[in-house]
Amino acid sequence: MAYKDVYAGWQANPEGFWMEQAKAIDWDKPPSRALFADKAPLYEWFKDAQVNTCWNAVDRHVAAGHGDRLAIIHDSPVTGTVHKITFAELQTRIASLAGALRAKGIEKGDRVVIYMPMVPEALEAMLACARLGAIHSVVFGGFAAHELAVRIDDFTPKAIIAGSCGIEPGRVVHYKPLVDSAIDQAAHKPDFCVIFQREQEVAQLTPGRDFDWHGFQHGVEPAECVPVAGDHPAYVLYTSGTTGQPKGVIRPTAGHLVALNWTMKNIYNVDPGDVFWAASDVGWVVGHSYICYAPLIHGNTTVVFEGKPVGTPDAGTFWRVISEHNVRSFFTAPTAFRAIKREDPKGEYRAKYDLTCLRALYLAGERADPDTIIWAQDLLKVPVIDHWWQTETGWPIAANPMGLDPLPVKIGSPSVAMPGWDVQILDEAGHPMPAGELGAIAVKLPLPPGTLPTLWNAEDRYRKSYLSHFPGYYETGDAGMIDDDGYLYIMARTDDVINVAGHRLSTGAMEEILAGHPDVAECAVIGVTDELKGQLPMGFLCLTKGVNRPHADIVKECVARVRDQIGPVAAFKLAVVVDRLPKTRSGKILRATMVKLADSEAFKMPATIDDPAILDEIKAALQTLGYAK
Ligand code: COA
Ligand code: AMP
């Protein structure tokens, strides 16, 4: 079927389109209609339905006679193991875990934080919550205790489910002490913790509070699926905003099921039974949607990969996994390909594997640079599909729908808006811009099913951050343009969010941490261009009057502070001491100008700059770090 017909079909009858897609889901009580607009501009989908996510992701496949099909392949080069789990086994494991959680008091609506490495048990924990109607919030393992504590206080979980450790190349990440420290730092205390002990590190349990994953399941009654209302939150995933307080994106149950299920065939072109692999982490939205939920809901086998694109053990790991497990559609971030290209520029590892099973590569999470796309295309000889989405949306806003009649690929563009998305480019005043002109990317409300209805505990922030700038639209925070053929181009963020190796980070959050250093009077963090990671954070520190300690010591302490409080994932390693920061006459720091300077790009001197001479000082400081050439 042609994309333009499907899109036009949705435009002509949006509710009819989604009601049709809803037929693919097993409902305890089917929705009477699709959209509920009574709280507009806050919208809800399939609100009056009753449904269970775990039933749709697991039990229904067993009930349909597919219990022997593989649900999960855990491929872990860091532990040297491969482990396969069928849908029937998965059902038993989740029902038992959910039963044990229920026996400890977890019920519909209770919150559970999950802090786990890339093991099948992470998915099982998510699905066990879904089985009970409990709401989970997964925290990425690369975040430090402080970030975990911030989420615990906002989400007030009854329980925390954690792994004893994660395994990064060359080191074991001690998760349990991070959990203990986070609970100490948080004002809210969970009733109990469940610890999945890995053989690489057996953690000390706190008697009375901590329970062993296997031990606490002993002798409990397995739990059945508990139906929840269509608008019940399936999960909350925190993502970076412009401040140190992350935004809790709510994912509504019914819309999530319907929309994700639609994407698996139409965008990713897989049929039930096919193997699908998203090389990301369950701590990110890609991991939620395309490692855990979507493939399982659609009856696909999902690969849970615990490793890196390079160094575990080599730059051929991805090709081995694709070939060994018969992966049809593969999804990762462009940075992973840049890492492979740097290690193996001629793609020699690729020749060792038969990759005929692979039909397309999907890239998202950050801008896919043309060099990387072309290199990947030449290497893999399959279409390389850039697609664009956000934690808030949960599934692609723009893509090339490979399961429909695929569109021509335009390198540099994530292609076209998917059904459900009326994407427009707006000027500052909110007027639509002509084709080919740059502006803010906004989506006409309502957003489609599966997208955030609001933020957890922060409806005002939701309205302010997304709905107030352009009334009637959702503001994506990205800037770009649409060409004459309707292809989108994503150029930059319009806020202080940066993208480091596909990880979304807040420069504002880093500034808050640097400002907390006793010797730092003022600071700024910008994202500079990096060949491997896309962007890297860089800090500028103005010291308190009278401080005369060596600058190198202060920089070192600041780097350690960010690692300690946000976590290693921030990759904050570049910082420099400067006398002053460039500002406008009204005192706004000229971060965008600093970025251009660092990247050695031409820029126009801002008319509002207070003292242009400061830019020379900044340039000199940047040069000491090897930037602003
Ligand atoms: N638990 C604990 N620490 C973690 C972690 C986790 N789950 N994930 C990453 N880290 C640590 C890393 O060990 C590293 O620590 P270091 O400073 O001591 O080296 C730091 O966080 C930065 O990690 P990362 O950004 O992943 O960089 P890297 O140098 O380890 O690897 C790439 C570089 C490009 C190979 C890697 O970023 C990658 O595979 N990216 C894929 C991106 C991706 O999956 N994005 C998700 C959105 S689709
Ligand atoms: P996250 O919420 O972590 O998924 O990050 C979302 C942000 O990543 C978007 O708002 C974009 O800035 C960026 N992003 C994601 N996918 C793409 C893409 N295909 N092209 C350009 N930027 C992207």
Side-chain angles (χ1 to χ4, degrees), residues 239-240 284-286 334 363-368 386-392 398 413-414 476-478 490-493 497 499 502-505:
T239 189
S240 299
W284 305 114
V285 69
V286 175
L363 298 176
E366 56 170 333
R367 190 174 163 268
D386 180 13
H387 61 324
W388 169 60
W389 50 301
Q390 313 181 308
T391 304
E392 289 85 341
S413 164
T476 65
D478 284 312
I490 317 298
M491 312 304 280
R493 288 289 301 189
V497 165
N499 203 310
H503 309 316
R504 175 167 158 184
L505 298 166

Side-chain angles (χ1 to χ4, degrees), residues 140-142 168 171 173 175 279-281 284 286 308-310 331-333 335-336 339 364-365 500-503 532-533 563 568-569 571 573:
F140 176 59
E168 283 292 289
R171 75 190 154 103
V173 184
Y175 278 21
S280 176
D281 188 285
W284 305 114
V286 175
K308 301 265 175 181
V310 293
F331 179 171
T332 192
T335 191
V500 179
H503 309 316
L532 175 67
K533 298 198 176 188
R563 189 177 174 95
V569 66
K573 290 178 181 162

